[in-house]
């Protein structure tokens, strides 16, 4: 008997043996019974019937869509926040605090108004930087490093210029 054929048999339960295990028990053949039991899979997941459970999407966006909720309150201001805050200020002056609260609940205003185009620095700090530092903060791509053999390149360029000047 080949060992590999027994490994590939994938014997999981006694139903696959038919009456062989029952006969071994009734006739008292302990060796056959032990052999059959040793060939069963010891993985519980093989013997347990499983149902496929559908994953439920409980992400924030899916729940907001399901319960028809609006987007959450912005933490930082952008250009549209100024229009919303102007509208709420107008409602406060014309109709009072209650209408302002209602407007805020329907279209929430930004939580804080930070200065724009200062790379998340306070305005005092940003305006205190030199022009070179501001330019460096605005660059998206990193600067290229100087070549390692810069000194050799400069010497070679100087010698070439001297040769061309004498000729």
């Amino acid at each position: 008997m080949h060992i590999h054929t027994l490994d590939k048999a994938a014997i999981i339960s006694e139903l696959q043996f038919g009456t062989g295990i029952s006969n071994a028990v009734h006739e008292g053949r302990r060796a056959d019974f032990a052999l059959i039991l040793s060939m069963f899979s010891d993985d519980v997941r093989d013997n347990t019937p499983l149902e496929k459970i559908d994953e439920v999407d409980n992400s924030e966006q899916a729940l907001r869509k399901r319960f028809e909720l609006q987007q959450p309150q912005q933490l930082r201001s952008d250009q549209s926040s100024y229009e919303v805050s102007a509208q709420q200020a107008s409602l406060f002056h014309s109709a009072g605090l209650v209408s302002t609260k209602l407007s805020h609940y329907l279209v929430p205003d930004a939580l804080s108004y930070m200065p724009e185009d200062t790379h998340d620095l306070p305005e005092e700090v940003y305006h205190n930087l030199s022009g070179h530092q501001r330019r460096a903060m605005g660059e998206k791509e990193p600067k290229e490093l100087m070549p390692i053999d810069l000194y050799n390149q400069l010497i070679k360029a100087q010698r070439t210029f001297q040769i061309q000047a004498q000729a």
Side-chain angles (χ1 to χ4, degrees):
M1 182 180 268
H2 297 285
I3 295 174
H4 296 296
T5 55
L6 287 177
D7 289 343
K8 293 179 183 176
I11 299 168
I12 294 174
S13 68
E14 61 274 3
L15 297 176
Q16 292 172 317
F17 277 105
T19 58
I21 195 167
S22 177
N23 291 339
V25 170
H26 287 295
E27 294 174 10
R29 295 180 292 168
R30 292 179 177 221
D32 291 343
F33 180 74
L35 178 66
I36 292 172
L37 282 183
S38 69
M39 288 191 286
F40 288 162
S41 172
D42 59 350
D43 191 0
V44 174
R45 294 172 293 183
D46 288 340
N47 296 325
T48 308
L50 299 174
E51 293 180 23
K52 185 177 183 212
I53 298 174
D54 294 330
E55 292 265 342
V56 179
D57 185 17
N58 287 335
S59 66
E60 183 178 352
Q61 291 295 340
L63 291 175
R64 285 189 177 281
K65 184 176 179 182
R66 179 178 175 198
F67 294 113
E68 298 177 5
L69 297 174
Q70 63 185 4
Q71 293 301 318
Q73 183 177 7
Q74 288 181 332
L75 299 178
R76 270 187 90 144
S77 63
D78 57 4
Q79 287 298 322
S80 66
S81 301
Y82 293 104
E83 183 181 323
V84 171
S85 65
Q87 180 187 11
Q88 289 178 357
S90 172
L91 285 172
F92 175 74
H93 290 295
S94 64
L97 186 60
V98 176
S99 65
T100 307
K101 282 186 177 181
L102 178 61
S103 173
H104 175 71
Y105 294 144
L106 292 175
V107 181
D109 194 13
L111 196 58
S112 69
Y113 283 83
M114 303 294 285
E116 294 181 10
D117 299 328
T118 59
H119 303 283
D120 295 332
L121 293 173
E123 281 186 84
E124 302 83 28
V125 174
Y126 183 75
H127 290 300
N128 206 16
L129 296 174
S130 70
H132 298 293
Q133 291 170 330
R134 289 185 206 164
R135 181 182 42 81
M137 289 176 68
E139 291 177 352
K140 302 292 181 200
E141 297 177 10
K143 270 174 98 172
E144 292 183 20
L145 298 176
M146 294 176 63
I148 296 173
D149 59 344
L150 178 65
Y151 182 71
N152 293 336
Q153 289 177 3
L154 291 173
I155 298 267
K156 182 180 176 184
Q158 181 186 15
R159 296 290 181 212
T160 307
F161 177 73
Q162 288 174 350
I163 292 171
Q164 290 176 350
Q166 289 179 356

